[in-house]
Amino acid sequence: MTPAPRAVIAAALEDWWTTTDPVEPFAPTTLAADVELHLISSGYRITPDDRTTMPRHSSSCDASTRTEFGALGPCVLRHDHGGPVHRDAAGATWVRTTDWYPSRLSVAYGIVLTLALLAAATVAGIRGHGWWALVGVAAAAITSKEVADELAERRHYRRGRRT
């Protein structure tokens, strides 16, 4: 008859405790190996439980981030996983900090820059410099797209903090 798993784990811990020098630093990997050896030698089979490691929701977090080494993401953890740590499909993890989202100053600067570019394009158009007016309008369009993306990121972050 196979002994109860708690009894086997207790025996493994007792063996580890009596054979380990208490002055040495704690070695969790050695302890885990000893417990595993006791469980296997007592007739238990250790296998991963896929039901607990598989995502329970069909939708995922999909967060991503840019680093100096490239992009990480999208996050494969469940949507609203309730923590700052994200993990991609390759196993890389990252933490979003409070300084990653655009500040109010950054958004305001983008809006002012967009308005200045539109004003310059208007002046260039009135003076008959069509090429410079076109360049100003294109730059304003690119800058306004950046501002819209920053606002969406900021809104997404602020809504995520409330839940």
Side-chain angles (χ1 to χ4, degrees), residues 58-70:
S58 60
S59 63
S60 60
C61 172
D62 292 332
S64 59
T65 189
R66 293 178 296 257
T67 68
E68 61 219 20
F69 305 109

Side-chain angles (χ1 to χ4, degrees), residues 26-82:
F26 178 69
T29 54
T30 306
L31 176 59
D34 288 347
V35 170
E36 181 183 23
L37 179 65
H38 272 76
L39 284 169
I40 291 172
S41 64
S42 297
Y44 287 94
R45 195 173 117 216
I46 301 172
T47 59
D49 185 6
D50 291 336
R51 293 173 298 165
T52 59
T53 57
M54 297 291 286
R56 287 181 167 70
H57 300 283
S58 60
S59 63
S60 60
C61 172
D62 292 332
S64 59
T65 189
R66 293 178 296 257
T67 68
E68 61 219 20
F69 305 109
L72 291 174
C75 179
V76 295
L77 299 176
R78 67 178 169 78
H79 184 68
D80 291 333
H81 53 80

Side-chain angles (χ1 to χ4, degrees), residues 83-96:
V85 179
H86 299 281
R87 181 177 299 121
D88 69 1
T93 57
W94 70 95
V95 176
R96 287 213 168 159

Side-chain angles (χ1 to χ4, degrees), residues 2-156:
T2 306
R6 287 185 186 230
V8 174
I9 293 172
L13 291 174
E14 185 176 349
D15 286 351
W16 182 81
W17 186 257
T18 57
T19 60
T20 304
D21 184 7
V23 179
E24 290 183 19
F26 178 69
T29 54
T30 306
L31 176 59
D34 288 347
V35 170
E36 181 183 23
L37 179 65
H38 272 76
L39 284 169
I40 291 172
S41 64
S42 297
Y44 287 94
R45 195 173 117 216
I46 301 172
T47 59
D49 185 6
D50 291 336
R51 293 173 298 165
T52 59
T53 57
M54 297 291 286
R56 287 181 167 70
H57 300 283
S58 60
S59 63
S60 60
C61 172
D62 292 332
S64 59
T65 189
R66 293 178 296 257
T67 68
E68 61 219 20
F69 305 109
L72 291 174
C75 179
V76 295
L77 299 176
R78 67 178 169 78
H79 184 68
D80 291 333
H81 53 80
V85 179
H86 299 281
R87 181 177 299 121
D88 69 1
T93 57
W94 70 95
V95 176
R96 287 213 168 159
T97 58
T98 57
D99 61 350
W100 72 269
Y101 67 96
S103 66
R104 288 183 189 173
L105 182 62
S106 172
V107 173
Y109 177 75
I111 291 170
V112 169
L113 183 59
T114 301
L115 292 174
L117 288 167
L118 284 175
T122 303
V123 169
I126 290 172
R127 291 190 173 178
H129 302 292
W131 172 251
W132 289 111
L134 181 64
V135 168
V137 168
I142 291 169
T143 307
S144 66
K145 170 74 169 98
E146 288 289 324
V147 170
D149 291 345
E150 286 182 354
L151 283 172
E153 260 186 284
R154 186 173 172 81
R155 190 174 303 122
H156 176 73

